Amino acid sequence: DMSNGGILRIAGSMTAPNLGTWKPGTGTIEYSGAAQTVYSNTYNNLTLSGSGTKTISSVTVNGTLSMEGTATVSAALTYGSSAKLQYNTSSAKDAGAEWPSTFSGTGGIAIANTGTITLNGNKTLSAGVPLTINSGSTLDVSISNYSLTAGGNFTNNGTFKAEGGTLTSGGNFTNNGTLTAGTGTVTFNGSSAQTIGGSSSTTFYNLTINNSNGVTLNTSETVSNKLTLTSGILNTGSNSITFSVFVSNTGETTNSRIVGTAVMSGRNVGSASLNFLNVYLHSGNDVGTITITRVTGTAITVGSYSGIKSYWNITATNTSATRDIEYSWLSVYDNGHSFSSSNKAQVYKSTNG
């Protein structure tokens, strides 16, 4: 009777004894030896440690399954509705049958020790199911460029290696560690508003926003290859989204756009033309390296005149060169103004920054 908790450890290369009638309660049973047979029953917490293969048949875990040491399982387990899968090993290992293609236990999946855990296939965590990578831990999805869908919150306090793999997040994204983007894609497709944040600024290779309820930045972030705005608003808040020199212009619509501060980092334009962040720079004199900062959602007032809810700060390393520039914006930023061929917008240039 483990109604009040407790730990039962079964060691040695042996077949587990017949446990008879027992109550799992809040207790933990640990198989800590080499190759062992796990008694067919329903467990609260089950720890598989030591080494070798643990033979599994008709095993259910309602609490936490903790994979430790170099132990592996012979077959899949059944998880209760609030179950959790934890990897707590200092040894690098591939995920096995214990991590099913779809995991629905609301306790989620945790990578909890220094051993790198490598995916063995495409994985989905159901809606609301969290994924946590602890400090000092590593989850690697780069082998064969697997896809990982986290239906709940994704929290990285260690290292997440995406490389060419994909991460789809249905909850909030918190990066307090290292995310190795490689050539991977991170997609936000939640059914409610999402946030991207953490103590570490993340550099995404490809970033896709596909959430009609919107995504908000709690930390300034960078995109190094491509931003795809499929649905919803990417709101930078008091932060910014920065595009590196290789990112192509991002198409925006009324329902799929960036609100806040967007920055095109220094790009060596020379005498070529440039079309980025609603700025079209005609070809002409050599302007050197250009940086564009666009702020939307906020209007500037000049005297008694209010501007549209979009303004730009453009700098060039060759300040003596002149170019023709065209600005454009979505009508949602008109700020109550009506423009026509006889009522055109005027451009104001700040003289004090």
mmCIF file of all heavy atoms in Angstrom, residues 5 53 74 109 111 116 154 157 166-167 170 174 182 185 198 221 233 244 246 260 266-267 277 301 304 311 328 332 342:
data_model
loop_
_atom_site.group_PDB
_atom_site.id
_atom_site.type_symbol
_atom_site.label_atom_id
_atom_site.label_comp_id
_atom_site.label_asym_id
_atom_site.label_seq_id
_atom_site.Cartn_x
_atom_site.Cartn_y
_atom_site.Cartn_z
ATOM 1 N N GLY A 5 2.535 7.523 -0.291
ATOM 2 C CA GLY A 5 3.827 7.752 -0.934
ATOM 3 C C GLY A 5 4.821 6.656 -0.633
ATOM 4 O O GLY A 5 4.468 5.512 -0.336
ATOM 5 N N THR A 53 17.570 -3.249 -21.147
ATOM 6 C CA THR A 53 16.212 -3.060 -21.628
ATOM 7 C C THR A 53 15.214 -3.493 -20.568
ATOM 8 O O THR A 53 15.317 -4.595 -20.015
ATOM 9 C CB THR A 53 15.977 -3.875 -22.913
ATOM 10 O OG1 THR A 53 16.884 -3.429 -23.926
ATOM 11 C CG2 THR A 53 14.552 -3.714 -23.416
ATOM 12 N N SER A 74 11.234 -1.818 -23.996
ATOM 13 C CA SER A 74 11.007 -2.719 -25.125
ATOM 14 C C SER A 74 9.777 -2.343 -25.926
ATOM 15 O O SER A 74 9.638 -2.747 -27.088
ATOM 16 C CB SER A 74 10.864 -4.155 -24.617
ATOM 17 O OG SER A 74 9.693 -4.280 -23.805
ATOM 18 N N ILE A 109 6.343 16.931 -21.019
ATOM 19 C CA ILE A 109 7.633 16.266 -21.168
ATOM 20 C C ILE A 109 8.715 17.202 -20.678
ATOM 21 O O ILE A 109 8.730 18.390 -21.012
ATOM 22 C CB ILE A 109 7.877 15.845 -22.623
ATOM 23 C CG1 ILE A 109 6.855 14.754 -23.017
ATOM 24 C CG2 ILE A 109 9.303 15.341 -22.827
ATOM 25 C CD1 ILE A 109 6.970 14.267 -24.432
ATOM 26 N N ILE A 111 13.027 17.571 -20.085
ATOM 27 C CA ILE A 111 14.410 17.124 -20.263
ATOM 28 C C ILE A 111 15.156 17.688 -19.058
ATOM 29 O O ILE A 111 15.316 18.901 -18.931
ATOM 30 C CB ILE A 111 15.015 17.634 -21.581
ATOM 31 C CG1 ILE A 111 14.027 17.421 -22.739
ATOM 32 C CG2 ILE A 111 16.343 16.961 -21.857
ATOM 33 C CD1 ILE A 111 13.623 15.994 -22.978
ATOM 34 N N THR A 116 22.197 14.617 -23.524
ATOM 35 C CA THR A 116 21.437 15.101 -24.683
ATOM 36 C C THR A 116 20.407 14.056 -25.096
ATOM 37 O O THR A 116 20.732 12.890 -25.302
ATOM 38 C CB THR A 116 22.374 15.397 -25.864
ATOM 39 O OG1 THR A 116 23.259 16.458 -25.506
ATOM 40 C CG2 THR A 116 21.584 15.783 -27.101
ATOM 41 N N PHE A 154 6.258 26.124 -24.389
ATOM 42 C CA PHE A 154 7.612 25.638 -24.659
ATOM 43 C C PHE A 154 8.565 26.495 -23.845
ATOM 44 O O PHE A 154 8.639 27.713 -24.028
ATOM 45 C CB PHE A 154 7.929 25.754 -26.150
ATOM 46 C CG PHE A 154 9.361 25.425 -26.506
ATOM 47 C CD1 PHE A 154 9.723 24.132 -26.845
ATOM 48 C CD2 PHE A 154 10.347 26.408 -26.499
ATOM 49 C CE1 PHE A 154 11.035 23.822 -27.168
ATOM 50 C CE2 PHE A 154 11.655 26.106 -26.817
ATOM 51 C CZ PHE A 154 12.008 24.807 -27.152
ATOM 52 N N ASN A 157 15.299 26.264 -20.834
ATOM 53 C CA ASN A 157 16.297 26.803 -19.911
ATOM 54 C C ASN A 157 17.679 26.230 -20.182
ATOM 55 O O ASN A 157 18.633 26.575 -19.486
ATOM 56 C CB ASN A 157 15.896 26.472 -18.467
ATOM 57 C CG ASN A 157 14.579 27.114 -18.074
ATOM 58 O OD1 ASN A 157 14.355 28.287 -18.335
ATOM 59 N ND2 ASN A 157 13.683 26.342 -17.480
ATOM 60 N N THR A 166 11.842 21.298 -37.394
ATOM 61 C CA THR A 166 10.806 22.311 -37.215
ATOM 62 C C THR A 166 10.202 22.200 -35.819
ATOM 63 O O THR A 166 10.049 21.109 -35.262
ATOM 64 C CB THR A 166 9.677 22.162 -38.254
ATOM 65 O OG1 THR A 166 9.042 20.879 -38.086
ATOM 66 C CG2 THR A 166 10.218 22.266 -39.666
ATOM 67 N N LEU A 167 9.857 23.340 -35.268
ATOM 68 C CA LEU A 167 9.154 23.412 -33.989
ATOM 69 C C LEU A 167 7.873 24.193 -34.216
ATOM 70 O O LEU A 167 7.897 25.314 -34.724
ATOM 71 C CB LEU A 167 10.009 24.115 -32.936
ATOM 72 C CG LEU A 167 9.292 24.453 -31.622
ATOM 73 C CD1 LEU A 167 8.880 23.188 -30.872
ATOM 74 C CD2 LEU A 167 10.172 25.340 -30.730
ATOM 75 N N GLY A 170 2.087 25.800 -29.816
ATOM 76 C CA GLY A 170 0.702 26.194 -29.633
ATOM 77 C C GLY A 170 0.492 27.011 -28.373
ATOM 78 O O GLY A 170 -0.613 27.490 -28.111
ATOM 79 N N THR A 174 9.221 30.448 -24.281
ATOM 80 C CA THR A 174 10.157 31.115 -23.386
ATOM 81 C C THR A 174 11.534 30.531 -23.581
ATOM 82 O O THR A 174 11.746 29.332 -23.384
ATOM 83 C CB THR A 174 9.729 30.942 -21.912
ATOM 84 O OG1 THR A 174 8.407 31.455 -21.734
ATOM 85 C CG2 THR A 174 10.676 31.690 -20.987
ATOM 86 N N GLY A 182 19.941 26.800 -36.828
ATOM 87 C CA GLY A 182 20.333 26.141 -38.059
ATOM 88 C C GLY A 182 19.538 26.686 -39.221
ATOM 89 O O GLY A 182 19.470 27.892 -39.452
ATOM 90 N N THR A 185 12.643 25.883 -38.863
ATOM 91 C CA THR A 185 11.487 26.774 -38.868
ATOM 92 C C THR A 185 10.738 26.655 -37.550
ATOM 93 O O THR A 185 10.499 25.542 -37.067
ATOM 94 C CB THR A 185 10.522 26.425 -40.023
ATOM 95 O OG1 THR A 185 11.203 26.596 -41.269
ATOM 96 C CG2 THR A 185 9.280 27.311 -39.999
ATOM 97 N N GLY A 198 11.531 35.434 -22.724
ATOM 98 C CA GLY A 198 12.628 34.776 -22.035
ATOM 99 C C GLY A 198 13.784 35.725 -21.829
ATOM 100 O O GLY A 198 13.817 36.836 -22.372
ATOM 101 N N GLU A 221 13.681 40.087 -30.723
ATOM 102 C CA GLU A 221 14.086 38.868 -31.418
ATOM 103 C C GLU A 221 14.621 39.204 -32.809
ATOM 104 O O GLU A 221 14.443 40.318 -33.304
ATOM 105 C CB GLU A 221 12.907 37.895 -31.534
ATOM 106 C CG GLU A 221 12.116 37.683 -30.251
ATOM 107 C CD GLU A 221 12.865 36.922 -29.168
ATOM 108 O OE1 GLU A 221 14.064 36.633 -29.337
ATOM 109 O OE2 GLU A 221 12.246 36.620 -28.121
ATOM 110 N N ILE A 233 -1.507 39.189 -35.939
ATOM 111 C CA ILE A 233 -0.621 40.329 -35.725
ATOM 112 C C ILE A 233 0.595 39.884 -34.921
ATOM 113 O O ILE A 233 0.463 39.205 -33.901
ATOM 114 C CB ILE A 233 -1.340 41.458 -34.959
ATOM 115 C CG1 ILE A 233 -2.627 41.867 -35.688
ATOM 116 C CG2 ILE A 233 -0.417 42.658 -34.766
ATOM 117 C CD1 ILE A 233 -2.420 42.399 -37.077
ATOM 118 N N SER A 244 17.953 40.274 -40.400
ATOM 119 C CA SER A 244 19.358 40.312 -40.797
ATOM 120 C C SER A 244 19.480 40.588 -42.287
ATOM 121 O O SER A 244 18.483 40.702 -43.008
ATOM 122 C CB SER A 244 20.055 39.002 -40.434
ATOM 123 O OG SER A 244 19.564 37.946 -41.233
ATOM 124 N N PHE A 246 20.106 38.948 -44.878
ATOM 125 C CA PHE A 246 19.702 38.000 -45.916
ATOM 126 C C PHE A 246 18.187 37.839 -46.022
ATOM 127 O O PHE A 246 17.695 37.093 -46.854
ATOM 128 C CB PHE A 246 20.327 36.625 -45.644
ATOM 129 C CG PHE A 246 21.825 36.649 -45.628
ATOM 130 C CD1 PHE A 246 22.521 36.523 -44.440
ATOM 131 C CD2 PHE A 246 22.547 36.823 -46.798
ATOM 132 C CE1 PHE A 246 23.902 36.552 -44.420
ATOM 133 C CE2 PHE A 246 23.927 36.860 -46.789
ATOM 134 C CZ PHE A 246 24.610 36.725 -45.599
ATOM 135 N N GLY A 260 4.408 47.702 -34.233
ATOM 136 C CA GLY A 260 5.505 48.036 -33.338
ATOM 137 C C GLY A 260 6.763 48.337 -34.124
ATOM 138 O O GLY A 260 6.705 48.894 -35.226
ATOM 139 N N GLY A 266 21.869 46.692 -40.802
ATOM 140 C CA GLY A 266 22.733 47.277 -41.824
ATOM 141 C C GLY A 266 22.913 46.422 -43.060
ATOM 142 O O GLY A 266 23.423 45.302 -42.982
ATOM 143 N N ARG A 267 22.486 46.928 -44.200
ATOM 144 C CA ARG A 267 22.571 46.194 -45.465
ATOM 145 C C ARG A 267 23.331 47.035 -46.469
ATOM 146 O O ARG A 267 22.995 48.195 -46.709
ATOM 147 C CB ARG A 267 21.160 45.887 -45.971
ATOM 148 C CG ARG A 267 21.114 44.968 -47.155
ATOM 149 C CD ARG A 267 19.699 44.471 -47.418
ATOM 150 N NE ARG A 267 19.147 43.714 -46.294
ATOM 151 C CZ ARG A 267 18.043 42.969 -46.378
ATOM 152 N NH1 ARG A 267 17.375 42.896 -47.519
ATOM 153 N NH2 ARG A 267 17.606 42.321 -45.319
ATOM 154 N N LEU A 277 10.254 46.933 -45.710
ATOM 155 C CA LEU A 277 9.485 47.611 -44.655
ATOM 156 C C LEU A 277 8.774 48.857 -45.170
ATOM 157 O O LEU A 277 8.783 49.916 -44.535
ATOM 158 C CB LEU A 277 10.389 47.959 -43.466
ATOM 159 C CG LEU A 277 10.943 46.764 -42.680
ATOM 160 C CD1 LEU A 277 11.926 47.248 -41.605
ATOM 161 C CD2 LEU A 277 9.807 45.972 -42.041
ATOM 162 N N THR A 301 2.882 63.623 -34.059
ATOM 163 C CA THR A 301 2.183 64.895 -34.256
ATOM 164 C C THR A 301 3.198 65.997 -34.503
ATOM 165 O O THR A 301 4.166 66.146 -33.757
ATOM 166 C CB THR A 301 1.327 65.259 -33.026
ATOM 167 O OG1 THR A 301 0.349 64.238 -32.835
ATOM 168 C CG2 THR A 301 0.629 66.589 -33.219
ATOM 169 N N SER A 304 0.025 71.133 -35.297
ATOM 170 C CA SER A 304 -1.383 70.749 -35.168
ATOM 171 C C SER A 304 -1.751 69.590 -36.082
ATOM 172 O O SER A 304 -2.916 69.221 -36.201
ATOM 173 C CB SER A 304 -2.284 71.948 -35.480
ATOM 174 O OG SER A 304 -2.057 72.408 -36.807
ATOM 175 N N TYR A 311 5.943 55.452 -38.989
ATOM 176 C CA TYR A 311 7.046 56.362 -39.304
ATOM 177 C C TYR A 311 8.345 55.566 -39.388
ATOM 178 O O TYR A 311 8.438 54.433 -38.911
ATOM 179 C CB TYR A 311 7.145 57.507 -38.293
ATOM 180 C CG TYR A 311 7.418 57.111 -36.857
ATOM 181 C CD1 TYR A 311 8.729 57.011 -36.380
ATOM 182 C CD2 TYR A 311 6.374 56.870 -35.961
ATOM 183 C CE1 TYR A 311 8.986 56.669 -35.066
ATOM 184 C CE2 TYR A 311 6.627 56.529 -34.654
ATOM 185 C CZ TYR A 311 7.935 56.428 -34.204
ATOM 186 O OH TYR A 311 8.181 56.083 -32.897
ATOM 187 N N SER A 328 5.183 53.622 -48.342
ATOM 188 C CA SER A 328 3.816 53.104 -48.476
ATOM 189 C C SER A 328 3.386 52.540 -47.129
ATOM 190 O O SER A 328 4.209 52.288 -46.245
ATOM 191 C CB SER A 328 3.744 52.015 -49.555
ATOM 192 O OG SER A 328 4.585 50.918 -49.220
ATOM 193 N N VAL A 332 -4.920 50.636 -42.735
ATOM 194 C CA VAL A 332 -5.248 50.569 -41.316
ATOM 195 C C VAL A 332 -4.444 51.592 -40.517
ATOM 196 O O VAL A 332 -4.809 51.942 -39.394
ATOM 197 C CB VAL A 332 -5.017 49.132 -40.787
ATOM 198 C CG1 VAL A 332 -3.541 48.800 -40.752
ATOM 199 C CG2 VAL A 332 -5.661 48.936 -39.431
ATOM 200 N N SER A 342 -5.690 64.607 -54.969
ATOM 201 C CA SER A 342 -5.755 66.026 -54.605
ATOM 202 C C SER A 342 -5.517 66.254 -53.110
ATOM 203 O O SER A 342 -5.514 67.389 -52.653
ATOM 204 C CB SER A 342 -7.120 66.604 -55.008
ATOM 205 O OG SER A 342 -8.168 65.909 -54.351
#
